[in-house]
């Protein structure tokens, strides 16, 4: 006696959250059944393995049918085939678009191309996440990227509108899209200590301050379609950043800056002497990073540079986080007192964001 | 030209990509009704076209309006080649044809293609302007309301229940037309869908005409079925109960008024002739059974209406049932006439005397208070027929060449065809009627018909519950109100239906009668089987449970007549075994009555399957069931004895456990009060069945257990051992779960509003090697049990919960395949908030009294006054009787005089439905507007645009009031695939299809302005696969009633907001929604 066909269809589509998770995690039906058996569900319910198998198959089939709709979540809301309460719809979407930290760290900043997709089995082996789940997550990133790529307006809003994600998840996706678009390098060994959260935090600051969307409708831009509002960095801004070079190139300005910072911080900093000794190096590092951002290659290495030029020196001298904060605040504020420096607004736009990023990046 | 149909195509969405190059679609729409077609403009390059068309107007007569579906086809425009069809929508416009239902159909419909399934949606608005008086045109029957619900719909009151209506239409199945060889599967499927839609419309119209002739205005319990007879054609048949319904307007309307009864009438019960009717004209052996004969070529002439003899209740013939009337005194004669005329002459115009009166059948399973007086038992009949065209003389000549006849003009034969099928059913109905009569009953309630077809053999089945009805509802000029409560003390609540309607001295079958455990005045049988729902006021102890008997029998493959004969020979044994199983399982549960009994016998190439489902309950009025005794054959073997006693212990334990599980704790009743001791294990059950033609009995077959006691199971061979084992293998549902196949679960009434309707389908393949009956039975049993277990597991989040209306259907699609389809609804109930299950005693008895009086007065013909016992009958019987006379039972005792029987399932008794209370609560619902319920019921999610539509096989929605019936939903779909693997195999294919069917039903209901489907039923789910060719095909037929409901909680809000005075349907429209 073999079961040829075995289905269950409810007027309200039954969604089992546990099975959904197993499905999202890419387990095969038999693995999922084994995992469910291990969870002790048979003892709780008095069911048999055969019942569990049939139930799991049913749910998997349902999820497969839903997957097509999940690719365009508004469709899930308007479709008529599956009657699902709104709270469940939201759960389905949110979980489907959720991703693993380990996975996202692997692909963050990489081009979402076929090439990357081919590497997914390596990532799967490395992270222990099933290949199926890796594919889903990768495809999600790519799908969101494709949809919002050409769109104007707030990145987060666009994502939220087209994928009906929660605010938090939409922000994460904005970061992923932003990183993928600008191809920031995040995979280097010295960046391994950084979490996705760290990068997402930086991405948000950068989107808010460094992109075209950040300054509102760019009036000078003749073709509004030329740049994506939130996804691309403001090229003009990056060009202008060269002007900051004067802060380190002009010896007087550099000395003045140093003395202003040292005067203000004397006695307040535990690592004052180290700071004093290192000031010029640090300042050169930060300003040179800014000056280099005109080249795409250097934009990609932004985080590597920041870590090399600032985070690592601080770390080697064991700066406490609070000292870093005091220093950065003073460092950016003091520029306002430099009479010979004309690019105050530019400096603020640069340092305001960078200060936030650096503080976030300074941890073990 | 009495009608103008107006259609507007608004927009489409989620259309499929039809042009690979652009990933877009150039869509336009064809709107077709009858022979007229309109087209919209082509909306270029969009998957979400906005046509916003003009109003397309069709001027048609109302006959067409009833028959034809509106056909909407969405196509992709192609400049260079033929336009590609995206899909179709069929809209049944019938709901727009009667005033109280929907006024407009407007909404998003899934665009359906038989090959690809749902492909996007289309927004359509449909209206109908009717010009003339609807009823002037007799060819149409606009205005007659149809309900699938098998009880009086919730917001109506039955003025008169006219009775049985039936009709069938036949056509050639397009799938088997010669043209099918050259057209695409899509074209063939669509031709079929369209034809069935057309035939359903025609059938409905014809039934409507009959109803109008009877001066009714509605059909309740409408059941339409398709018989796919293959080459011999396609039969669409329907049965229903014609009624005159009144829309309830004010809550007060339905309160039972207890006012002046007819004086003379209430005397009658005491006027009964003291002499029992001693005559028994029929064969006195109750163990009569006919052979199962099949008669492919038997010519049957329809009983003409004018000959009252055979069909009327007055037995002029040897049937004997009513001879009492002759001796019953003038009063009785008068009343007999009354009742009879109520049953037989309702429907008015004398020349239309015919069909309607023929069969006093009612498809209802639940009844207005006071309607059902007594129940006799289950009556059923089966007949095996050959789907040969031999009946059609025109065909005889060409049958030699199997194919050529198809080229002939079908219509020339068509006309004869319905007559043949009609005659077949008429035979069966006739038989049912005579069975009922034999049970002392003049009517059959809970009546249904079904078929099972395999190749050219067809089993026709009909079953129902013989009953005695109150003619008050059957006559024009209904006497409102009830009679005085004079006899109150005679008829305590909840047991009247159990009292036997037949003559104790002349019982149709040997049964143990006792005095009713409730009122102790009337006789009741020891076990009661019925096909109806448990009456609301029935006194029940504990909870009920689903009881199933499952059986397989191998059969040799054979052709035509040999096959039919083989089947005919097997049927009685199957019926017998199914019955025994049911009885044993009932005893094992410690219960004494079955409701909603449905026995399905399915025929396959090499086997027959029987599946009986029913809800077991413990009726307080019936005696406590005895246990089950096991006896071994070889008493000397020590270890064997031990084994037997071990089994016996297990059985006893199971019974004890079940009693605890279902909370069956009947009060102890001392033997004296009861009057006659029941010899404990000596319960007897008889199965008396007959099949086929009622007139010419060939043999008599004793299907009872012969001399030995039914509930002494003798273990004399391995078979018997297996049987006992299988008895014990049925696992009770996990705790927190109950199940039943009736509308309501006895003992649970605190439902919450959480419901989940579902359909589950399983197909298993039997290993063909050495199949035995045993192995088959085990496989089948496992299949059903596993299916139930799966359901319990899947629905575990709903605990505490009850599966209601569990409807199993079994079919044998191929040689080694068994398909089981289950549709049911899971309803959560509130454990902590258990309401008082029964009404207070006072309330009850009050009601009872009134209704009981009526029945007493109006059915004197059944009451052959009290019988006093001087009849030689089985010893047990004498016992009983003498005991009863000793204990001083009042002489007013009504012992019903009925006659012998030729077929009965069991002694049964019924229940009147007296729940005035519930009806009243329904009534007080103020009519609330029709609009906006969709909004109201949809959850408060800003994003969601799709309204929730509930579906349930029940006639009600827990925690809600149905405020409006929008019309019948009757849909037929075909889905076919040539890429089975790609669609996820058979499971993926069928899963998607059923989900799509649900979606289309919901969309239609929503477009009518409704938010639920009640009395939903999946009548057919025919699945065929050919995995080698990567193909599969499935046909599904569903129906139900589209309704508007309002949550009770919301209703209160509404009624407080609205001044009760001007609570008109429209006034609540907008503001109630949130």
């Amino acid at each position: 006696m073999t079961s040829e066909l075995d289905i269950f269809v409810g007027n309200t589509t039954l969604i089992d959250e546990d099975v959904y998770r197993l499905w999202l995690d890419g387990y095969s039906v038999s693995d999922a059944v084994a995992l469910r058996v291990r969870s002790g569900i048979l003892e709780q319910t008095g069911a048999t393995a055969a019942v569990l198998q049939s139930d799991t198959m049913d749910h998997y089939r349902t999820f497969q049918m839903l997957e097509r709709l999940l690719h365009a979540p508004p469709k899930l809301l308007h479709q008529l085939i599956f009657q699902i309460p709104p709270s469940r719809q939201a759960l389905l979407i949110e979980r489907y678009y959720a991703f693993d930290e380990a996975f996202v760290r692997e692909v963050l900043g990489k081009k979402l191309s076929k090439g990357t997709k081919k590497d997914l089995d390596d990532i799967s082996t490395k992270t222990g996440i099933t290949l199926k789940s890796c594919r889903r997550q990768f495809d999600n990133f790519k799908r969101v990227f494709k949809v919002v790529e050409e769109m104007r307006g707030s990145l987060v809003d666009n994502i939220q509108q087209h994928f009906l994600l929660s605010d938090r998840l939409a922000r994460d996706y904005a970061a992923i899209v932003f990183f993928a678009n600008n191809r920031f390098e995040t995979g280097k060994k010295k960046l391994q200590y950084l979490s996705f959260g760290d990068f997402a935090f930086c991405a948000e600051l950068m989107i808010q301050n460094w992109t075209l969307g950040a300054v509102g409708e760019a009036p000078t831009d003749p073709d509004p379609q030329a740049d994506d509002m939130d996804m691309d960095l403001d090229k003009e801004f990056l060009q202008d950043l060269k002007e900051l070079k004067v802060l380190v190139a002009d010896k007087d300005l550099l000395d003045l800056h140093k003395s202003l910072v040292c005067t203000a911080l004397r006695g307040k900093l535990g690592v004052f002497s180290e700071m004093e000794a290192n000031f010029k190096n640090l300042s050169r590092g930060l300003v040179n990073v800014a000056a280099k951002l005109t080249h795409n290659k250097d934009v990609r290495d932004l985080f590597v540079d920041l870590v090399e030029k600032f985070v690592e020196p601080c770390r080697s001298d064991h700066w406490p986080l609070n000292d870093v904060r005091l220093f950065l605040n003073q460092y950016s504020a003091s520029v306002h007192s430099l009479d010979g420096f004309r690019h105050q607004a530019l400096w603020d736009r640069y340092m305001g964001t960078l200060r936030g990023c650096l503080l976030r990046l300074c941890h073990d | 030209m009495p009608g103008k149909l107006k259609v507007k195509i608004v927009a489409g969405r989620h259309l499929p990509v039809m042009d690979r190059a652009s990933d877009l679609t150039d869509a336009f729409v064809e709107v077709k009704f009858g022979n007229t077609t309109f087209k919209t403009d082509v909306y270029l390059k969009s998957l979400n076209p906005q046509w916003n068309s003009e109003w397309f107007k069709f001027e048609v007569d109302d006959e067409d309006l009833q028959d034809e579906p509106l056909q909407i086809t969405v196509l992709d425009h192609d400049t260079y080649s033929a336009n590609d069809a995206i899909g179709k929508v069929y809209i049944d416009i019938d709901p727009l044809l009667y005033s109280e239902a929907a006024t407009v159909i407007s909404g998003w419909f899934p665009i359906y293609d038989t090959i690809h399934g749902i492909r996007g949606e289309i927004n359509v608005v449909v209206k109908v302007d009717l010009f003339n008086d609807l009823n002037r045109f007799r060819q149409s029957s606009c205005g007659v309301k149809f309900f699938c619900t098998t009880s009086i719909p919730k917001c109506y009151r039955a003025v008169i229940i006219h009775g049985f209506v039936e009709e069938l239409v036949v056509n050639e199945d397009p799938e088997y037309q010669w043209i099918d060889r050259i057209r695409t599967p899509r074209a063939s499927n669509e031709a079929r869908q369209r034809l069935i839609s057309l035939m359903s419309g025609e059938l409905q119209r014809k039934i409507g005409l009959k109803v109008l002739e009877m001066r009714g205005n509605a059909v309740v319990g409408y059941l339409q079925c398709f018989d796919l007879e293959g080459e011999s054609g396609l039969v669409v048949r329907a049965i229903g109960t014609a009624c005159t319904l009144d829309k309830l307007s004010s809550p007060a309307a339905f309160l039972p008024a207890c006012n002046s009864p007819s004086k003379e009438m209430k005397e009658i019960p005491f006027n009964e002739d003291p002499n029992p009717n001693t005559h028994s004209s029929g064969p006195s052996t109750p163990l009569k059974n006919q052979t199962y004969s099949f008669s492919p070529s038997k010519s049957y002439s329809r009983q003409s209406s004018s000959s009252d003899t055979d069909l009327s209740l007055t037995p002029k013939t040897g049937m004997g049932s009513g001879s009492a009337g002759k001796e019953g005194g003038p009063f009785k004669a008068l009343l007999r006439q009354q009742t009879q005329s109520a049953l037989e002459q309702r429907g008015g115009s004398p020349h239309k005397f015919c069909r309607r009166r023929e069969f006093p059948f009612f498809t209802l399973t639940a009844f207005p208070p006071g309607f059902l007086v007594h129940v006799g038992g289950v009556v059923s009949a089966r007949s095996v027929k050959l789907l040969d065209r031999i009946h059609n003389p025109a065909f005889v000549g060409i049958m030699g060449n199997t194919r050529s006849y198809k080229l002939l003009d079908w219509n020339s034969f068509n006309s004869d065809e319905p007559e043949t099928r009609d005659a077949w059913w008429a035979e069966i109905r006739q038989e049912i009627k005579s069975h009922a009569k034999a049970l002392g009953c003049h009517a059959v309630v809970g009546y249904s018909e079904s078929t099972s077809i395999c190749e050219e053999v067809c089993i026709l089945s009909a079953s129902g519950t013989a009953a005695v009805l109150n003619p008050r509802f059957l006559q024009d000029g209904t006497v409102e109100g009830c009679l005085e409560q004079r006899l109150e003390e005679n008829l305590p609540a909840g047991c009247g239906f159990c009292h036997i309607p037949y003559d104790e001295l002349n019982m149709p079958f040997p049964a143990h009668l006792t005095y009713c455990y409730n009122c102790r005045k009337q006789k009741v049988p020891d076990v009661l089987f019925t096909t109806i729902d448990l009456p609301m006021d029935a006194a029940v102890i504990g909870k009920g449970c689903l009881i199933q008997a499952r059986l397989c029998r191998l059969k040799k493959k054979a052709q035509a007549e040999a096959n039919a004969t083989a089947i005919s020979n097997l049927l009685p044994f199957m019926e017998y075994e199914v019955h025994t199983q049911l009885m044993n399982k009932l005893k094992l549960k410690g219960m004494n009555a079955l409701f909603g009994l449905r026995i399905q016998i399915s025929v396959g190439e090499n086997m027959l399957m029987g599946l009986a489902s029913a809800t077991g309950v413990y009726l307080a009025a019936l005696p406590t069931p005895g246990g089950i005794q096991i006896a071994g054959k070889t008493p000397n073997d020590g270890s064997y004895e031990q084994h037997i006693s071990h089994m016996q212990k297990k059985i006893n334990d199971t019974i004890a456990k079940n009693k605890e599980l279902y909370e069956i704790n009947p009060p102890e009743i001392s033997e004296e009060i009861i009057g006659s001791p029941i010899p404990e294990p000596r319960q007897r059950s008889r199965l008396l069945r007959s099949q086929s033609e009622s007139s010419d009995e060939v043999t008599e077959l004793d299907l009872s257990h012969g001399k030995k006691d039914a509930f002494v199971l003798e273990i004399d061979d391995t078979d018997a051992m297996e049987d006992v084992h299988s008895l014990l293998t049925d696992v009770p549902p996990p705790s927190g779960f109950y199940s039943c196949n009736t509308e309501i679960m006895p003992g649970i009434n605190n439902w919450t509003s959480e419901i989940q309707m579902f359909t589950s389908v399983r197909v298993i393949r039997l290993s063909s090697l050495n199949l035995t009956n045993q192995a088959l039975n085990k496989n089948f049993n496992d299949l059903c049990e596993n299916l139930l277990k799966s359901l319990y597991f899947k629905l575990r989040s709903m605990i505490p919960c009850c599966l209601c209306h569990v409807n199993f259907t079994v079919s044998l699609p191929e040689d080694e395949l068994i398909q089981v389809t289950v549709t049911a609804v899971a309803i959560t109930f509130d454990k902590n908030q258990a309401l008082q299950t029964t009404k207070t005693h006072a309330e009850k008895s009050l009601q009872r009294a009134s209704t009981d009086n009526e029945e007493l007065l109006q059915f004197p013909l059944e009451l052959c006054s009290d019988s006093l016992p001087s009849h030689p009958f089985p010893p047990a019987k004498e016992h009983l009787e003498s005991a009863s006379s000793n204990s001083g039972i009042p002489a007013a005792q009504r012992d019903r005089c009925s006659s012998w029987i030729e077929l009965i399932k069991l002694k049964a008794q019924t229940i009147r439905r007296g729940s005035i209370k519930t009806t009243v609560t329904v009534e007080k619902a103020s009519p609330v507007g029709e609009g906006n319920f969709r909004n109201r019921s949809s959850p408060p999610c800003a994003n969601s645009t799709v309204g929730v539509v509930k579906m349930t096989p029940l006639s009600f929605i827990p925690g809600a009031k149905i405020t409006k019936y929008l019309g019948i939903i009757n849909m037929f779909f075909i889905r076919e695939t040539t890429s089975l693997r790609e669609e996820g195999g058979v499971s993926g294919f069928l899963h998607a299809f059923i989900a799509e069917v649900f979606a289309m039903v919901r969309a239609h209901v929503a477009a009518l302005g409704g938010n639920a489907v009640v009395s939903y039923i999946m009548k057919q789910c025919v699945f065929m696969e050919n995995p080698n060719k990567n193909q599969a095909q499935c046909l599904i037929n569903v129906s139900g009633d589209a309704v508007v409901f309002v949550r009770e909680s919301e209703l209160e809000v509404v009624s407080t907001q609205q001044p009760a005075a001007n609570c008109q349907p429209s006034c609540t429209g907008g503001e109630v929604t949130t």
Side-chain angles (χ1 to χ4, degrees), chain B residues 429-683:
Chain B
R429 289 169 192 149
Q430 193 56 39
E431 194 178 324
I432 289 279
K433 187 175 164 182
S434 59
H435 293 330
K437 200 187 293 176
L439 273 175
C441 297
H442 60 210
V444 175
V445 293
Y447 180 73
S448 65
E449 294 175 346
S450 62
T451 57
S452 171
I453 297 171
C454 179
E455 302 289 310
E456 75 281 11
V457 173
C458 172
I459 303 182
L460 310 183
S461 311
S463 71
T465 304
V468 175
L469 305 178
N470 185 335
R472 182 167 70 102
F473 292 92
L474 308 175
Q475 275 168 313
D476 287 325
T478 310
V479 187
E480 276 294 330
C482 323
L483 303 181
E484 276 170 32
Q485 309 168 17
R486 247 183 69 183
L487 298 182
E488 183 173 345
E489 63 279 17
N490 286 349
L491 293 154
C495 66
F497 63 91
C498 300
H499 305 157
I500 53 167
Y502 38 86
D503 175 17
E504 184 184 345
L505 305 178
N506 202 358
M507 288 201 300
F509 44 80
H512 278 270
L513 298 183
T514 44
Y515 283 101
C516 175
Y517 274 51
N518 202 11
C519 65
R520 318 236 161 83
K521 284 166 186 149
Q522 307 288 331
K523 292 279 174 74
V524 294
D526 52 354
V527 178
L528 181 72
F529 283 14
T530 74
T531 58
I532 56 172
D533 271 353
L534 182 69
M536 298 288 269
D537 61 341
V540 171
I541 294 171
K543 295 194 166 70
C545 73
L546 181 71
I547 290 179
Q548 282 195 322
R550 303 153 188 148
L551 188 68
C552 298
R553 277 283 170 276
L554 285 169
K555 159 184 96 61
K556 284 215 174 63
K557 279 190 189 178
Q559 292 300 311
E561 299 207 10
N563 194 16
T565 313
I567 294 169
S568 299
N569 290 339
L570 270 174
L571 278 177
F573 297 99
M574 297 208 44
E575 299 254 13
Y576 170 74
E577 283 201 37
V578 163
H579 175 263
T580 310
Q581 248 188 59
L582 278 176
M583 197 56 128
N584 285 337
K585 287 186 175 175
L586 185 66
K587 299 271 170 197
L588 207 59
K589 296 276 195 273
M591 298 175 183
N592 59 17
L594 288 181
F595 287 88
L597 177 64
R598 188 166 161 270
I599 302 179
Q600 200 198 352
I601 304 262
S602 307
V603 59
E605 291 266 287
N606 57 350
M607 64 178 100
L608 283 175
M609 314 224 86
L611 179 63
S613 308
T615 300
V617 294
Y618 187 104
L619 285 178
L622 303 192
T624 313
I628 297 175
Q629 307 288 317
I630 293 186
K633 270 281 168 165
T634 46
N636 293 330
D637 186 338
S639 67
Y640 189 74
E641 288 257 294
Q642 203 180 357
H643 181 68
I644 294 288
S645 69
H646 176 68
M647 297 269 274
Q648 180 70 58
K649 187 172 173 300
K650 255 170 85 175
I651 287 181
N652 293 346
D653 289 351
T654 311
I655 295 179
K657 228 168 59 198
N658 280 329
K659 281 189 172 176
E660 194 180 322
L661 181 64
Y662 299 107
E663 299 160 26
I664 300 171
N665 318 299
E668 296 290 323
I669 298 174
S670 75
E671 292 293 310
E672 292 139 53
I673 302 176
I674 288 164
S676 82
I678 310 154
E680 240 312 295
R682 303 216 52 202
Q683 314 262 352

Side-chain angles (χ1 to χ4, degrees), chain B residues 853-922:
Chain B
N853 277 346
E854 274 171 338
E855 98 211 11
L856 273 182
L857 303 175
Q858 306 206 3
F859 286 92
L861 67 157
E862 304 299 330
L863 324 178
C864 254
S865 91
D866 64 345
S867 54
L868 280 184
S870 48
H871 254 351
F873 225 67
K877 192 117 208 205
E878 270 183 310
H879 234 106
L880 241 166
E881 283 157 3
S882 55
S884 66
S885 58
N886 290 343
S887 58
I889 298 298
Q893 192 73 252
R894 296 174 302 160
D895 281 344
R896 280 172 173 74
C897 200
S898 63
S899 49
W900 59 285
I901 266 232
E902 53 188 310
L903 143 127
I904 288 147
K905 168 133 290 186
L906 245 217
K907 42 260 150 167
Q909 289 257 12
T910 314
I911 304 173
R912 246 156 321 158
R913 188 178 199 225
S915 85
I916 288 168
K917 192 179 181 187
T918 38
T919 330
V920 170
T921 43
V922 172

